[in-house]
Amino acid sequence: MDLGLADRVYVLTGASGGLGFATAEQLVADGARVVISSRVPERVAAAVDALGGPQRAIGLTADLTDAGTPERLIAAAREEFGRLDGALVSVGGPPRGTAAQITDEQWRESFETVFLGSVRTARTVAAALTDGGAIGLVLSTSVRSPLPGLGISNGLRPGLAGVAKDLADEHGPRGVRVVSLLPGRIMTDRNRELLAASGDAERARAEAEASIPLRRVGDPAEFGRVAAFLLSPAAGYVTGVTVPVDGGALRGL
């Protein structure tokens, strides 16, 4: 299938690694060009090199808590590649802990990064897009089912899915689509950290895989392919939905 990604341009936050980088790889492989951002300069530079260098990708060191970050990303895409067709908004996982254990300060910091930073980026990019543009928010299966020991994710991610739906309704008449992606157990650094925190990573992985119908943890590229499709013109009639990429782990229909 031709996804229609040739020469289209996307910005991706939190994309020096993990699911953001996996999506950037798939977009570039199908002919798109990308502007990626992350907070660590060295990781941004390494990711740009891995994506094929400045002809295919450029990188910015940026933090979503900075109100100017979305406009910087939009300007970089237009100045370097002459257009903007969409965005993937991904933010690193918040601190572990139950809702009762998390401190006020941790809630505030996570709200600024995970929630407000994502909302600001999505609404700013949505306003800048024209007919055919698309935005994907990388959330979590916690949108539909709370995850043990991840109180902040359980509290903030469902709200972001609601915001995405609201944006989809508002910008749909302009031909701009907004979707949420719900990754489950996919072997990123974040999931390695969560497995290690159990005290027995191998046992924790085996238990996790036993609860997944496909009986395995996902590969980042499997998420990246779904995200690239949803951002592409091939998914032109898909908006306002939450799409699990979880091997069937969520039990709801």
Side-chain angles (χ1 to χ4, degrees), residues 44-247:
V44 173
V48 168
D49 287 343
L51 292 168
Q55 291 188 333
R56 306 309 308 177
I58 63 170
L60 277 68
T61 302
D63 190 326
L64 291 190
T65 60
D66 181 349
T69 290
E71 292 290 358
R72 286 181 60 210
L73 293 169
I74 293 168
R78 289 173 170 167
E79 290 170 9
E80 188 70 22
F81 298 126
R83 59 188 288 175
L84 176 65
D85 297 286
L88 185 81
V89 183
S90 180
V91 183
R96 300 187 306 275
T98 68
Q101 295 168 337
I102 297 295
T103 67
D104 285 0
E105 188 58 30
Q106 287 175 312
W107 277 109
R108 290 191 187 97
E109 289 178 0
S110 297
F111 176 81
E112 289 289 335
T113 55
V114 174
F115 192 89
L116 183 55
S118 296
V119 171
R120 182 190 297 119
T121 302
R123 77 183 182 209
T124 304
V125 172
L129 293 175
T130 55
D131 188 12
I135 298 171
L137 275 72
V138 181
L139 303 181
S140 165
T141 54
S142 63
V143 165
R144 295 191 185 174
S145 181
L147 298 173
L150 293 176
I152 292 178
S153 183
N154 296 335
L156 299 184
R157 304 289 196 190
L160 284 169
V163 170
K165 182 68 171 177
D166 192 85
L167 288 171
D169 291 344
E170 183 170 357
H171 292 281
R174 300 174 45 240
V176 174
R177 301 182 297 107
V178 184
V179 299
S180 298
L181 293 104
L182 313 184
R185 286 285 193 174
I186 298 176
M187 195 48 69
T188 61
D189 289 343
R190 170 67 169 176
N191 263 292
R192 290 187 184 93
E193 172 194 333
L194 293 175
L195 292 173
S198 70
D200 187 339
E202 290 187 10
R203 178 179 177 181
R205 177 168 180 161
E207 290 175 349
E209 290 178 331
S211 70
I212 299 170
L214 289 181
R215 294 298 188 268
R216 63 181 178 84
V217 172
D219 184 89
E222 294 178 300
F223 175 90
R225 286 191 285 270
V226 175
F229 166 72
L230 290 171
L231 291 173
S232 78
Y237 204 53
V238 179
T239 192
V241 296
T242 56
V243 180
V245 187
D246 68 345

